[in-house]
Amino acid sequence: MSKGRESGMPDESYWDTFFNPECIVAKLDCAGLRGNVLEFGCGYGTFTIPTAKLVHGNVVALDIDPDMVSITARKAEEAGLPNVTTKLRDFVADGCGVPEGYAEYAMLFNILHIENPVGLLKEAYRVLAPGGKAGIIHWRSDIKTPRGPSPDIRPSAEQCRVWGEQAGLNFDRYESLCCCSWHWGLVMSRPTVRI
Ligand SMILES: C[S@@+](CC[C@H](N)C(=O)[O-])C[C@H]1O[C@@H](n2cnc3c(N)ncnc32)[C@H](O)[C@@H]1O
């Protein structure tokens, strides 16, 4: 198994200072989803837990790092969220392990700096039901940030849009994350008719 480049995590307490996760997931259309959610790289469950509180379906949280998986599972249990399923999995090498069309929403948060972003977006396309959405966030490049991938591999929202379109997704909108200083947001969706 191999972790995507520059995908290691700092201490949880430091990571938590960068986000207002409840605001981010609400702005990126997670509230009230009836279907399932697939999260590519759950990390500390920063976004898993607030999302699971907002949706009616299951949240399948994948990560290659056993510590991240067990921390997220423990948080879900402590929060009394039976709709969270955590799985230790290399989604780059092995895909996400759920059937085509399983999810209404795919979370790609702080992950598209990996070696093959289009390959991962194709897997997101596969797992989404027609009309399902992909929410993407990443570190801004237009300002100095306290953390984030190296400038040469840090993708812009516009670059992620192009990659998403190469994977077959439609562009829905850029979302300014005014509740979060360091990140931008993007929403794309799987077309309702195959193209
Ligand atoms: C930068 S962290 C972001 C975590 C979370 N999405 C967030 O924004 O808080 C990226 C996560 O993806 C995981 N990851 C990296 N490569 C992976 C792979 N090939 N398969 C599964 N998880 C992977 C890492 O272990 C890490 O937890």
Side-chain angles (χ1 to χ4, degrees):
M1 299 217 289
S2 67
K3 193 178 278 199
R5 60 188 177 185
E6 297 191 32
S7 286
M9 293 289 269
D11 283 352
E12 184 176 2
S13 56
Y14 184 47
W15 188 250
D16 283 346
T17 64
F18 301 135
F19 306 100
N20 179 340
E22 289 78 11
C23 176
I24 289 175
V25 298
K27 275 184 160 283
L28 295 179
D29 299 345
C30 291
L33 293 173
R34 305 210 75 78
N36 300 313
V37 177
L38 200 291
E39 184 178 18
F40 289 91
C42 61
Y44 292 115
T46 309
F47 299 96
T48 321
I49 304 304
T51 299
K53 289 178 180 171
L54 289 178
V55 303
H56 300 277
N58 296 318
V59 179
V60 178
L62 309 178
D63 208 288
I64 198 171
D65 184 327
D67 290 340
M68 298 297 135
V69 171
S70 62
I71 289 168
T72 301
R74 177 180 47 75
K75 285 183 176 175
E77 195 177 334
E78 285 171 2
L81 291 167
N83 61 334
V84 174
T85 303
T86 54
K87 285 189 187 164
L88 182 66
R89 192 164 182 97
D90 181 346
F91 46 66
V92 171
D94 304 324
C96 57
V98 302
E100 175 164 2
Y102 171 83
E104 187 183 355
Y105 196 95
M107 300 167 73
L108 296 135
F109 288 6
N110 298 306
I111 192 68
L112 285 182
H113 57 284
I114 61 166
E115 289 81 351
N116 182 6
V118 176
L120 191 57
L121 286 157
K122 284 182 178 168
E123 179 62 357
Y125 175 101
R126 187 193 70 78
V127 79
L128 284 173
K133 292 183 181 182
I136 298 166
I137 72 166
H138 222 311
W139 291 89
R140 289 171 58 178
S141 303
D142 58 322
I143 53 169
K144 195 166 159 44
T145 58
R147 177 91 195 172
S150 309
D152 53 323
I153 63 164
R154 186 182 301 203
S156 64
E158 293 75 19
Q159 177 65 76
C160 289
R161 172 186 177 167
V162 170
W163 288 336
E165 288 172 343
Q166 287 172 2
L169 296 168
N170 283 345
F171 170 73
D172 287 359
R173 68 179 193 279
Y174 298 118
E175 182 65 53
S176 110
L177 300 176
C178 51
C179 49
C180 184
S181 306
W182 311 117
H183 286 70
W184 51 258
L186 167 64
V187 181
M188 302 192 76
S189 56
R190 178 169 167 162
T192 48
V193 178
R194 185 178 282 271
I195 52 171

